[in-house]
Amino acid sequence: MKYEICNNDIVLTEPYINLEQTLDCGQAFRWIKISDDTYSGCFVDKYLEISERDGRVIFVNTTEDDFLDVWASYFDLKRDYADIKAGYSQDPTLAKACEYSPGIRLLKQDEWECLVSYIFSQHNNIPRIKGIISRLCDHYGHFPTARELSRETPETLSFLRSGFRAKYVIDAANKVANGEVDLEFCKALPYEEAKAELMKIKGVGPKVADCVLLYGFAKVEAWPVDVWIKRVMQTYYPDGLPECVIGTQGIAQLYLFNYVRNLHEE
DNA sequence: TTCCAGGCGTATC
DNA sequence: GATACGCATGGA
């Protein structure tokens, strides 16, 4: 990781990140493109504007402390993606997927926000997921805590227009607020045990749990299988995943998901 | 109009 | 344990 301090900004020169590929690939739902080269977003109570110019990423008006304590972790800056992608290049499909969007990185998101977001994601599409979460945050002025959401009912959340998912989010809020599911504790558990804990929540099945394990807990062995990844498996890997992804399947999934979803649109 | 969307709970066998 | 079906909402 290499960076410079420029006036009030942090300019990241290494590693390479593509902001559009990373912030708008469907792993996080709250980043907003506010100009040609700039996004705004949050991690818990930290607000960030971040720009990409001439291949460099600029953390606008950001202290070195916040950069090192919050954003370096959030953007997974210490992981060696060049090394990971070199391993993936043994597989022709993954080689194409990495070439298609080489600047994707895993975002290590807040686990509670991640849990709620992916409960809303089920049987839904990305623009609509963003709309629901945007209405939720506008309503509270921030992403609501579990305690705040535990006071809601499906009726009081009807403004979200989130359909049958509202009751699941309320169940998650209740279980997290009363300690029945302890996300901090889950984070420290091994993959399988953490997954079983998350699946105590109504509306959290294997796929949503894997998304929280990957995007919220940064457990890169998680392998969320949605409709797109099912198609990937049928089309490219009928006999199972290639050896070169074992251990970091979650990161491979980011590249593959983005690749096939855009192939479909073209 | 019909189909589908980063699935899951439930009923049924 | 596996398979089928309904589910709120909205865009294509």
Side-chain angles (χ1 to χ4, degrees), chain A residues 51-231:
Chain A
S51 306
E52 181 176 352
R53 282 179 213 131
D54 306 322
R56 298 194 305 177
V57 166
I58 302 154
F59 294 74
V60 179
N61 203 14
T62 299
T63 65
E64 188 174 20
D65 282 349
D66 276 353
F67 173 71
L68 293 174
D69 295 343
V70 179
W71 302 116
S73 164
Y74 182 86
F75 285 94
D76 202 21
L77 295 183
K78 288 179 184 166
R79 197 187 304 274
D80 187 347
Y81 281 69
D83 185 51
I84 289 171
K85 286 188 284 185
Y88 291 169
S89 68
Q90 297 168 31
D91 175 77
T93 304
L94 263 162
K96 278 184 215 159
C98 291
E99 191 182 340
Y100 180 78
S101 43
I104 291 186
R105 299 183 78 87
L106 174 69
L107 297 175
K108 294 158 82 166
Q109 302 174 55
D110 173 62
E111 54 265 21
W112 165 245
E113 176 177 331
C114 197
L115 172 61
V116 172
S117 299
Y118 280 94
I119 289 173
F120 282 132
S121 81
Q122 71 169 267
H123 198 55
N124 212 341
N125 57 60
I126 291 174
R128 214 176 142 246
I129 299 162
K130 287 182 176 174
I132 291 167
I133 294 168
S134 168
R135 289 191 285 281
L136 182 69
C137 294
D138 285 351
H139 179 77
Y140 280 97
H142 55 267
F143 196 94
T145 63
R147 188 157 299 283
E148 285 173 319
L149 272 179
S150 69
R151 299 189 196 104
E152 302 290 358
T153 65
E155 290 70 34
T156 65
L157 288 182
S158 61
F159 71 94
L160 292 177
R161 305 198 298 280
S162 63
F164 61 88
R165 306 165 191 86
K167 59 181 181 289
Y168 298 152
V169 164
I170 292 165
D171 188 62
N174 285 328
K175 290 196 167 96
V176 170
N178 71 21
E180 200 174 326
V181 174
D182 183 335
L183 295 180
E184 281 300 323
F185 177 69
C186 272
K187 198 170 190 169
L189 288 174
Y191 169 79
E192 289 292 349
E193 292 174 43
K195 189 167 180 175
E197 278 296 298
L198 291 170
M199 286 174 63
K200 288 180 181 173
I201 297 164
K202 270 193 181 295
V204 178
K207 195 276 177 177
V208 170
D210 270 328
C211 286
V212 178
L213 288 159
L214 179 58
Y215 304 121
F217 297 158
K219 293 189 187 294
V220 294
E221 68 269 43
W223 173 249
V225 177
D226 62 12
V227 291
W228 295 101
I229 295 299
K230 274 181 195 158
R231 287 173 199 155

Side-chain angles (χ1 to χ4, degrees), chain A residues 226-258:
Chain A
D226 62 12
V227 291
W228 295 101
I229 295 299
K230 274 181 195 158
R231 287 173 199 155
V232 168
M233 294 308 289
Q234 285 166 1
T235 308
Y236 302 107
Y237 307 115
D239 301 321
L241 279 175
E243 191 72 23
C244 63
V245 308
I246 302 305
T248 61
Q249 301 94 302
I251 292 183
Q253 189 262 15
L254 279 172
Y255 294 103
L256 290 168
F257 176 78
N258 193 249

